[in-house]
Amino acid sequence: MNEAGFPLLSLITWLPLVGGLVILSVRGDEATVASNARWTALWTSLIVLVLSLVLWVKFDPSEGGFQFVESVSWLPEYQVGYKMGVDGISVLFVLLSTVLTPLCILASWESIQTRVREFMLSFLILETMMVGMFCALDFIVFYMFFEAVLIPMYLIIGVWGGPRRVYAAMKFFLYTLTGSVLMLLALLAMWLYAGTTDIQVLMTTQFPPAMQTWLFLAFLASFAVKVPMWPVHTWLPDAHVEAPTAGSVILAGVLLKMGGYGFLRFSIPMLPDASAYFAPFMFTLSVVAVIYTSLVALAQEDMKKLIAYSSVAHMGIVTIGMFTFNEQGIHGALFQMLSHGVVSGALFLIVGVVYDRIHSREIARYGGLSDRMPGYALVFMLFTMASVGLPGTAGFVGEFLVIVGAFQVNFWLALLGGAGMILGAAYMLYLYRRVMFGRITRDDLRHILDLSPREWAVFAPLIVLTLWMGIYPSSFTVFWDASVAAMVKHHQDALATTIKLAGVTH
Amino acid sequence: MNWMLALPEIVLACCGLGILVFGVLRKHDSALICTMMTLGAFLIAGLLVLTGLPGIGYHGQFVSDPFSAFNKLLLLSGAALTAILSLDWNRQAGISRFEFPILMLFAVVGMMVMTSASNLMTLYVGLELQSLALYVLAAFARDDLRSSEAGLKYFVLGGLASGLLLYGVSLVYGFAGTMDFHELRALLTQPGVASPGASPGVIVGVVFVLVGLAFKISAVPFHMWTPDVYEGAPTPVTVFFATAPKVAAMALMLRVMATPFGPLLASWQSLIVIVSIASMLLGAFAAIGQTNIKRLMAYSSIGHMGYALVGLAVGSPEGIRGVLVYMVIYVFMTAGTFACIMAMRRKGQPVEQISDLSGLASNDPGLALALAVFMFSLAGIPLMSGFFAKLYIFLAAVQGGLWTLAVVGVLTSVVGAYYYIRIIKIMYFDPSVEAFDRRPPALSFVVAATGLFTAFFFLFPAPVVDAAQVAAGAIFR
């Protein structure tokens, strides 16, 4: 229970699972089951969306701490409880998950025709796990959601994916699992030291610097795979290419954010000394990711793979921002994560639109689509620009803030990180030109249909969000202002304490 | 002398004799009714265990405490699940004979004596009673070459292990002068060079006892028999091997190591660490290449025993509690997995290849879902019970400072996850082949019951953990 006396967060978390049980109980012939499963999943996710909008309205941005806190005793002998709560950093990620899920269900309305019931069930389970992970205020609970996400995602890639889906699903599963089991050990070590796994308590616990180093490396193993950072990013292009459209959207939109969220929630506040110590290392990896994967993206022949590599580059910007430890940098990282969630999700949907029609993702297979699909061309252009970071779109604000933050740390960092924007413009515009412009050379493209009303319904909210984030960003940043300020202050205080202690001992 | 302490064992043994006479006198097919009577006997024994009072009787030979009660209930439930599963299978395999449940029953009596042993002599008697019944069970399909081979192999290697154990017992007795657990504990706690704890004879004895017990739980390097016996024995027997005797042998190992030899922790800890690491590694890597699902489960059980031993290596009440929780979860998920394996039957013939599961998700979604739950659980993915089993073990390891074990443990669990999720891959991603036969209701019941336990353990972990806590505390006195 929380101060309102109503477990809103638990409801948002577990309601999709209830919807899943309803889907499971549907009986009848295949077409009825499929249709019922689709509608049940859509309505469940829409109700969850409405509830999360209530959360958004009721959330008090002026407060830096956790709100809507619920706490139920679970494993009392270990001081582990089922504790949920959101602060300014997590609340928007909850919303991102609940916004993208109904859109994904809508987007797979026609493209998923086999085992519809299982697909919708997996998606609702996935939503429960994602939301639960962002709400968890107990490390064990967080870990359970964090890892349980693998189960539905593994099935989504493996059952409804492309030709190499089995390889991709296995790789995704094992990469992520390896990282997270190491985090489990770090978690146990923290529990041993602090005597609890309550995240709020752990954030104020001071771990000895030597221990922090090890903990940081263990967390890095987990979050770096999830983000993904160079050089452990190789699972991502495979998973993206093979996953069905909706799977790619959630993968890019939410699952990658779990790594960034992990850094912000655990590594930086709980391990300030190690974070500062490893910051140059993180910058190096991020800069390599930005430049290297951008160049790789330029050479791609597959649309989804190109966008997948661009995701790695954009997430590189995010990690640069986070490890600047100043307000602009962290603001930028958070904003970049949100905007990337919307924009890259939309880009995967855009690829999905033509893939549903032509069943190919090969760039050379297309050309001149703008003649036949003007509406599509417009939407594609908008999100291309947002991905490039054109002012007025969501992509600009995040990248700009990160570069401002990076300048305060190091000129070269800002310069090399900023190079990502230029390369990003290169590969995105190149992609757009090859797909949309030129002359139509293939017959089947002459009769290709423009966006259907259902597809417009999928894109409309994303277009609104992208422009809203770009034109009036402070309606989003206001949520985490207080939380980020508190985090930055906490970080600086912690570093100052360590330096003072070091001064005493020497 | 308080003979009431052994009431569950006495009642169960008498029931066994009664059922045996009944089965012999009844002319026609009596397997079904004997199995039902055996289940009833298990139930009565379970109730007696629940209501039994703690204490030490029979001149210190026999102890009844929360630890023995916990393990007895667990192994009784494992045996009961096996008895239910065996009914339809034995009928279809043509080995439906009334001796089957009775042999199981006597093996269970032996196991219950093992968990209650308070003297090295009782330990040996219980172990032998159990083993003799199990040797016969392994060869129960006597016309089947593989089953006979499994029985013989198990008998020869088991006899060797018993011999080693007995040799260890005699060494300990020779150098310490007693076989009573509590007297041994008091003797070995004495400080100084003159104490028996410092004598190499006792240490060698402990090592031999350990080897004998490691054979029974099939820990590396004494695991050789496991894959062959698992594969060769009739599947109901394999289920039995994988559940109840493992619980009993693990309980015995915990008690022997914690109560009499607890003071020698420093001497045997490194041994358990090595055995545990070796088991985890072998369980993870050797299973990858398997094509027979029963063999795969054999390697999986070797790996799981490695994880459970991590808790013993810690040697603290927390570690023992972790092992006990692990065993509870392990028994239910293993029984469930084998129930799914027993459902693999085409045109009346059992199939055992992993590739036979191909496309199960579209032929039989319910069974595929259950098997997927068990596989994720065996792999230790959260929300399934298997995650909690590993969590408690690793918590204890970290508390005890055994970081090597914890790191090896989590990494091998990733390797293990590969072959578990490969089975899910085959069920869900591969094209469907011919459907399995209709499965008997008893099988569906076991799958559903164990599946619900495995999937929803996370909601109510407290009762099991609390009971394990009390049980673990009992053997450190």
Side-chain angles (χ1 to χ4, degrees), chain A residues 309-327:
Chain A
Y309 278 110
S310 85
S311 286
V312 182
H314 282 132
M315 292 308 286
I317 302 274
V318 171
T319 40
I320 291 178
M322 278 188 284
F323 283 86
T324 58
F325 309 122
N326 53 43
E327 283 196 35

Side-chain angles (χ1 to χ4, degrees), chain A residues 14 24 74-78 115 118 121 129 140 143-145 147-148 150-151 154-159 165-166 169-170 173-174 177-179 181-182 184-189 191-192, chain B residues 321 361-362 365 369 376 380-384 387-388 391-392 394-395 398-399 403 406-407 410-411 413-414 417-418 421-422 424-425 427-430 458-462 465-466 469:
Chain A
W14 296 105
L24 210 54
W74 187 48
L75 301 171
E77 67 269 36
Y78 291 114
R115 300 202 212 166
E118 285 85 351
L121 182 64
M129 299 308 160
I140 299 265
Y143 180 81
M144 288 179 38
F145 285 121
E147 211 167 285
L150 293 182
I151 299 177
Y154 171 70
L155 293 175
I156 287 173
I157 298 176
V159 178
R165 59 188 207 271
V166 173
M170 281 285 192
F173 196 101
L174 293 177
L177 186 64
T178 315
V181 293
L182 291 173
L184 179 64
L185 288 184
L187 189 166
L188 295 179
W191 165 80
L192 193 64
Chain B
R321 176 184 57 189
S362 42
L369 180 68
F376 280 126
I381 307 296
L383 292 189
M384 308 301 166
F387 167 71
F388 290 92
L391 178 69
Y392 285 111
F394 293 143
L395 267 174
V398 168
Q399 254 179 330
W403 282 98
V407 172
V410 296
L411 291 180
S413 72
V414 175
Y418 167 73
I421 63 168
R422 195 166 61 105
I424 296 170
K425 172 227 138 193
M427 289 193 301
Y428 278 86
F429 307 168
D430 287 359
F458 76 96
L459 288 178
F460 312 103
V465 178
D466 291 347
Q469 170 111 28

